[in-house]
Amino acid sequence: AQSVSQHNHHVILSEAASLELGCNYSYGGTVNLFWYVQYPGQHLQLLLKYFSGDPLVKGIKGFEAEFIKSKFSFNLRKPSVQWSDTAEYFCAVIPRREGGKLIFGQGTELSVKP
Amino acid sequence: DTGVSQDPRHKITKRGQNVTFRCDPISEHNRLYWYRQTLGQGPEFLTYFQNEAQLEKSRLLSDRFSAERPKGSFSTLEIQRTEQGDSAMYLCASSPRQGTNTEAFFGQGTRLTVV
């Protein structure tokens, strides 16, 4: 079955630390890739997306992600986190032949200590 | 606010009762999706519409669940004879066109608690 795996359920960092959240998917065909963020009490918001082209994509708030096709991975990075980055992060894919529905990972809760 | 709107935000119901949720997508968005999210999990796809046509339903969507989008604008999700396992956050999302090279915009969800 198609699936998306996020490596860490809960990550705790101090401010200014670097962040990398892992995401792997299992789907053999072409996919579109997304990272969504959910701040406490708010709705899911798009951080960044990859459809094609440069595998290193930049998103909002200093986040970036790298698509490595050979590893079926789309890891999220940020060089220096802030307390305001405390949120839940979801990796998601749309297999190109699947009509647009998102398949989400289980999420990673990020807690940033001030 | 011109984002995706869901109503109600919270619903507490007794087991066996029917509930209906409403989603108003972003204006002119053709696609509308319903997802369900339980604690500690990512959202799971339930069903989606292209305009008024329901194009796909997940196996998660039992016969007790029905969704409509009668005029291709707002959508309703009804759960009949609710069970405690139906307790979850129900999310609606919309996207501006068909195909996969587009992003989905999410509402704030309806949190259902079945007691």
Side-chain angles (χ1 to χ4, degrees), chain B residues 55-75:
Chain B
L55 295 187
E56 186 176 348
K57 293 194 295 185
S58 165
R59 286 173 295 174
L60 294 175
L61 213 64
S62 77
D63 291 344
R64 297 184 296 106
F65 287 69
S66 62
E68 293 183 340
R69 194 183 183 196
K71 297 183 180 179
S73 56
F74 72 93
S75 175

Side-chain angles (χ1 to χ4, degrees), chain A residues 32 36 46 90 99 101-102 105, chain B residues 31 35 37 42 56 100-101 104:
Chain A
N32 289 346
Y36 279 85
L46 184 69
F90 294 93
K101 69 183 183 192
L102 287 155
Chain B
R31 288 212 163 177
Y35 293 85
Q37 185 177 19
E56 186 176 348
T100 56
N101 285 6

Side-chain angles (χ1 to χ4, degrees), chain B residues 4-11 19-25 34 74-77 90-92 107-111:
Chain B
V4 178
S5 176
Q6 292 188 246
D7 182 69
R9 293 287 306 280
H10 303 273
K11 179 70 176 179
V19 294
T20 300
F21 311 140
R22 177 180 170 124
C23 171
D24 287 89
W34 286 98
F74 72 93
S75 175
T76 58
L77 177 68
Y90 289 84
L91 299 171
C92 178
Q108 292 195 288
T110 294
R111 182 170 296 284

Side-chain angles (χ1 to χ4, degrees), chain B residues 45-62:
Chain B
F45 169 78
L46 293 179
T47 188
Y48 85 92
F49 294 83
Q50 172 79 24
N51 298 314
E52 67 275 10
Q54 189 173 18
L55 295 187
E56 186 176 348
K57 293 194 295 185
S58 165
R59 286 173 295 174
L60 294 175
L61 213 64
S62 77

Side-chain angles (χ1 to χ4, degrees), chain A residues 9 32 34 36 38 41-44 46 49 51 88 90 94-96 98-102 104-107, chain B residues 9 31 33 35 37 40-45 48 56 89 91 97 99-109:
Chain A
H9 187 62
N32 289 346
F34 304 82
Y36 279 85
Q38 189 167 28
Q42 296 189 26
H43 60 281
L44 281 163
L46 184 69
K49 60 191 176 188
F51 295 157
E88 190 149 21
F90 294 93
I94 297 179
R96 293 260 183 101
E98 293 288 326
K101 69 183 183 192
L102 287 155
F104 284 90
Q106 71 270 38
Chain B
R9 293 287 306 280
R31 288 212 163 177
Y33 303 84
Y35 293 85
Q37 185 177 19
Q41 299 296 321
E44 295 176 298
F45 169 78
Y48 85 92
E56 186 176 348
M89 178 75 84
L91 299 171
R97 59 185 182 274
T100 56
N101 285 6
T102 183
E103 67 180 87
F105 296 80
F106 282 82
Q108 292 195 288

